[in-house]
Amino acid sequence: MDKNHSTLGEFIIDNQKHFKYSSGELSRIINSIRLAAKIVNHEVNKAGLVDILGAAGETNIQGEDQQKLDIYANDVFKSALINREIVCGIASEEEEDFITVEGKYNAHNNKYVVLMDPLDGSSNIDVNVSVGTIFSVYRRVTPLGMPVKKEDFLQKGSEQVAAGYIVYGTSTMLVYTTGHGVNGFTLNPAIGSFYLSHPDMKFPKNGSIFSINEGNYAHFPQGVKDYIKYCQAEEEDRPYTFRYIGSMVSDFHRNMIKGGIYIYPASYKAPKGKLRLLYECNPIAFLTEQAGGKATDGFNRIMDIEPSALHERVPIFCGSTKMVEKAESFMTKYKTNN
């Protein structure tokens, strides 16, 4: 078989040898995510035609307005994982607490938990801009046969066994890693299959794109302000190109392909950052490192952070290694003031 033209299902089967603890569960989790992604993709693509755009009139645990598609995507991914009884627990950005999967066949014996951001960038839905899903898989730490506990979810990013995202854009792609490189699969909508379109994805060591919400410039620490000025300076190979979509998945996906840095720093308005360690930063950091890039909070490796809460927030600097290291040098200069 030509691996560059294999389907996602074929690729999973061919690479099961990498799952040293698994007897098929991890492959089935990825397959369930693939199914849920196709369902959500269908709904995203027809969103303008049905009453699924806009706010649902509720807020999530972070106090943010929930969009109707947020709730829909959360339900679809939960159902795909719960109904197949392949995980023992789920945590979602849209849920206040983790979910214990019971099931008819004692799901407490399942080995894995899944954490997810069901619809990243949902504030862009109404204006037809790309949105995405982010997911992360861990091997449980509590004994088999027992209901999951919070410690099964509060694991460092370095303990992830798989992570990925789906971007619903001009084409729909599922990109994931199991710790053996990053591969991207594009959905052929005519037949409903994902095909390997981007094998062994890698960040260029350096890049020319910086992605940050400059609207918050006044609230950024001085190290971030200085790095932005550095990116804008007409020196050497600069100024860099500024690109910011407002959907982490979309910004990250572009930068991984073209070379760049994505920054969501701490600020005076959000002193701990805005993005969630477990649902966004850890999976994106895992993908970043597997693609040859670097992901830190400005000082320390993201995947070394010990989580203390399900909805903990952290700053993130991720992307091409040389760009992240340059940004860190500006942060370090002002470390006592950040």
Side-chain angles (χ1 to χ4, degrees), residues 169-184:
T170 49
S171 62
T172 296
M173 283 189 66
L174 190 156
V175 179
Y176 84 104
T177 182
T178 56
H180 300 274
V182 177
N183 292 280

Side-chain angles (χ1 to χ4, degrees), residues 281-319:
C281 297
N282 270 341
I284 290 297
F286 190 19
L287 289 157
T288 300
E289 292 190 6
Q290 285 295 312
K294 187 173 186 181
T296 77
D297 63 0
F299 308 100
N300 308 296
R301 182 183 181 224
I302 288 288
M303 292 206 296
D304 285 339
I305 298 173
E306 193 79 53
S308 58
L310 285 175
H311 297 282
E312 182 175 351
R313 302 172 191 255
V314 294
I316 187 168
F317 296 66
C318 66

Side-chain angles (χ1 to χ4, degrees), residues 80-246:
L81 293 165
I82 292 172
N83 291 344
R84 292 191 176 194
E85 297 189 21
I86 49 177
V87 296
C88 52
I90 300 168
S92 168
E93 184 178 306
E94 300 300 327
E95 304 277 348
E96 183 173 357
D97 204 353
F98 64 86
I99 298 165
T100 300
V101 179
E102 299 290 346
K104 293 182 292 185
Y105 305 106
N106 194 8
H108 303 320
N109 284 323
N110 292 332
K111 301 186 183 87
Y112 297 100
V113 297
V114 171
L115 297 89
M116 62 181 179
D117 179 356
L119 204 65
D120 171 71
S122 57
S123 61
N124 285 322
I125 293 168
D126 287 3
V127 291
N128 204 22
V129 172
S130 297
V131 294
T133 297
I134 307 173
F135 63 90
S136 179
V137 183
Y138 291 83
R139 186 174 167 84
R140 67 182 297 166
V141 294
T142 53
L144 292 176
M146 303 290 291
V148 289
K149 297 182 179 179
K150 189 169 286 188
E151 54 259 42
D152 290 306
F153 301 92
L154 298 183
Q155 299 188 56
K156 293 193 293 187
S158 56
E159 299 300 315
Q160 291 173 99
V161 296
Y165 61 84
I166 302 102
V167 58
Y168 311 103
T170 49
S171 62
T172 296
M173 283 189 66
L174 190 156
V175 179
Y176 84 104
T177 182
T178 56
H180 300 274
V182 177
N183 292 280
F185 300 81
T186 300
L187 179 65
N188 180 342
I191 57 177
S193 294
F194 284 95
Y195 283 90
L196 179 60
S197 55
H198 294 67
D200 196 23
M201 299 175 76
K202 294 290 185 186
F203 266 102
K205 289 296 180 186
N206 211 346
S208 59
I209 298 171
F210 69 106
S211 306
I212 187 171
N213 185 357
E214 281 201 72
N216 291 326
Y217 180 89
H219 304 282
F220 290 153
Q222 192 59 45
V224 174
K225 290 179 179 178
D226 285 1
Y227 180 68
I228 291 173
K229 292 173 185 174
Y230 167 84
C231 292
Q232 295 170 335
E234 293 189 24
E235 299 172 2
E236 300 171 339
D237 59 344
R238 290 168 281 131
Y240 293 150
T241 301
F242 170 69
R243 293 283 185 270
Y244 186 73
I245 297 170

